Amino acid sequence: MPVVLGIETSCDETGIGIVRDRVLLADEVASSVAEHARFGGVVPEVASRAHLEAMVPTVDRALATAGITLGDLDAIAVTAGPGLAGALLVGVAAAKAYSLALDLPLYGVNHLAAHVAVDVLEHGPLPEPAIALLVSGGHSSLLLVEDVTKTMVPLGQTIDDAAGEAFDKVARLLGLGFPGGPVVDRAARNGDPAAIAFPRALLADGYDVSFSGLKTAVARWVERQEGEIPVNDVCASFQEAVVDVLTRKALRACTDTGVGHLLIGGGVAANSRLRELAQQRCDAAGVVLRVPRPGLCTDNGAMVAALGDRLVAAGIAPSPLDLPADSSMPVELVCL
Ligand code: KG4
Ligand code: ZN
């Protein structure tokens, strides 16, 4: 069975994964998130430099964890896009170097398809077709997955901020630190989700989402308060607005397309309320929900290796060695 090394550097995580026939052998992540904290968001140049420093040590760690050497690898997969151009470039250059030096096939893959494929490591073969909701600091996409090794059909996306970006911005305006998702999630557990009626943009139309107005509504509401801000209630009400819209649209996509499986991925899929509400609404609609464990939802190399493993198994041709890092790689394109 072929052993696939996956390299992920599209944002601030240097992720290296090793997969053999849907079995995860190693999943090592070096994050530069702490270096971005004081800026309140990811600084692309800082992320690129951190990838450069972390690349070789993280690959070595992954090999050690898997108990193998470079000579045991059969293919290399790397995130070719979408993502931060400079950050992607580090991963793609490293992947080409390993591929050339070891004479191994190289697969330049789509980050979003990798977020979908990772679920096979935990829950077995993907039910296809499936609807995928991918929500992170960089993306908010609703996709129809017919075959993750071939193509994904975009149904909707954010027209402004990504869902995770909204969490990060709201956390920042409340002075809760970065990244905002986990802190808001925790604060919300002690708050009332019905305390403040924040807007749910585009709820009735289509599959696109918008979170910029919601973020502004939270800012205006906070500004208007005299005295202490009820942080827990603000977090709970904001979070409820986000997950209400996301789950409603995802379920509507399932109903409209007649697809009985929903898969959720991306950093925001770690959100406890999103997981809970998605489960409730899927149960009510008779839809089977699949969400990988939180560590596989945030960016990692295992997801890239998982997709690479599926591409090899499906007999898909490798990418040319001159493949580009494509910061705006279209979602329809699974592999370059
Ligand atoms: O997938 P990811 O690690 O990287 C990107 O591709 O962006 O996602 C990071 C995003 C951040 O915006 C972070 O605030 C958000 O995921 N996030 C969460 C939670 N954990 C992480 N958002 C809401 N609730 C959480 N528990
Ligand atoms: Zn991601």
Side-chain angles (χ1 to χ4, degrees):
M1 284 295 168
V3 182
V4 182
L5 178 85
I7 301 179
E8 155 61 37
T9 63
S10 68
C11 192
D12 58 341
E13 264 93 34
T14 312
I16 305 294
I18 301 176
V19 169
R20 187 207 291 124
D21 193 29
R22 285 197 309 250
V23 177
L24 182 60
L25 304 181
D27 177 21
E28 296 291 329
V29 177
S31 177
S32 61
V33 67
E35 293 176 54
H36 307 285
R38 68 191 171 101
F39 302 105
V42 175
V43 184
E45 191 54 29
V46 173
S48 306
R49 284 170 191 277
H51 287 310
L52 208 53
E53 284 170 19
M55 181 57 62
V56 174
T58 312
V59 169
D60 289 347
R61 251 190 7 251
L63 291 168
T65 305
I68 61 171
T69 65
L70 284 174
D72 296 318
L73 297 175
D74 296 291
I76 311 282
V78 62
T79 300
L84 303 170
L88 288 167
L89 208 55
V90 178
V92 168
K96 287 179 181 177
Y98 282 114
S99 161
L100 195 64
L102 302 167
D103 193 21
L104 295 178
L106 173 64
Y107 293 84
V109 305
N110 190 302
H111 180 81
L112 298 182
H115 267 304
V116 173
V118 73
D119 195 56
V120 306
L121 300 177
E122 202 164 47
H123 299 120
L126 280 185
E128 285 164 335
I131 296 292
L133 170 68
L134 300 181
V135 273
S136 76
H139 22 263
S140 303
S141 298
L142 203 52
L143 310 162
L144 171 63
V145 185
E146 284 161 354
D147 179 343
V148 77
T149 65
K150 293 200 174 65
T151 189
M152 303 195 302
V153 181
L155 300 176
Q157 58 181 332
T158 180
I159 59 168
D160 40 57
D161 293 349
E165 198 179 347
F167 273 91
D168 294 337
K169 287 178 175 171
V170 163
R172 180 157 55 167
L173 74 91
L174 292 170
L176 298 177
F178 175 83
V183 228
V184 170
D185 192 345
R186 235 173 292 128
R189 280 175 212 160
N190 301 313
D192 175 6
I196 310 155
F198 286 130
R200 278 121 164 102
L202 308 178
L203 194 58
D205 8 288
Y207 300 121
D208 282 347
V209 292
S210 161
F211 297 113
S212 168
L214 169 60
K215 167 201 69 190
T216 308
V218 175
R220 294 293 99 82
W221 192 91
V222 168
E223 276 165 22
R224 279 200 306 274
Q225 299 312 299
E226 290 161 11
E228 203 177 328
I229 309 288
V231 171
N232 295 344
D233 285 348
V234 174
C235 287
S237 302
F238 156 77
Q239 175 176 276
E240 197 65 17
V242 175
V243 305
D244 182 23
V245 173
L246 290 176
T247 51
R248 240 185 245 240
K249 297 225 170 195
L251 263 305
R252 195 195 300 145
C254 291
T255 315
D256 292 352
T257 56
V259 169
H261 288 86
L262 173 64
L263 199 144
I264 308 185
V268 181
N271 184 269
S272 58
R273 180 61 184 147
L274 176 60
R275 298 171 84 100
E276 180 183 63
L277 191 59
Q279 191 64 64
Q280 275 171 17
R281 291 186 171 170
C282 280
D283 289 348
V287 168
V288 180
L289 177 66
R290 292 187 29 163
V291 195
R293 65 182 137 87
L296 293 180
C297 286
T298 48
D299 288 352
N300 61 77
M303 64 195 227
V304 181
L307 178 55
D309 173 66
R310 290 301 84 203
L311 291 168
V312 172
I316 306 284
S319 311
L321 247 192
D322 64 351
L323 73 101
D326 183 354
S327 60
S328 51
M329 186 167 174
V331 61
E332 294 92 334
L333 206 56
V334 165
C335 177
L336 286 177

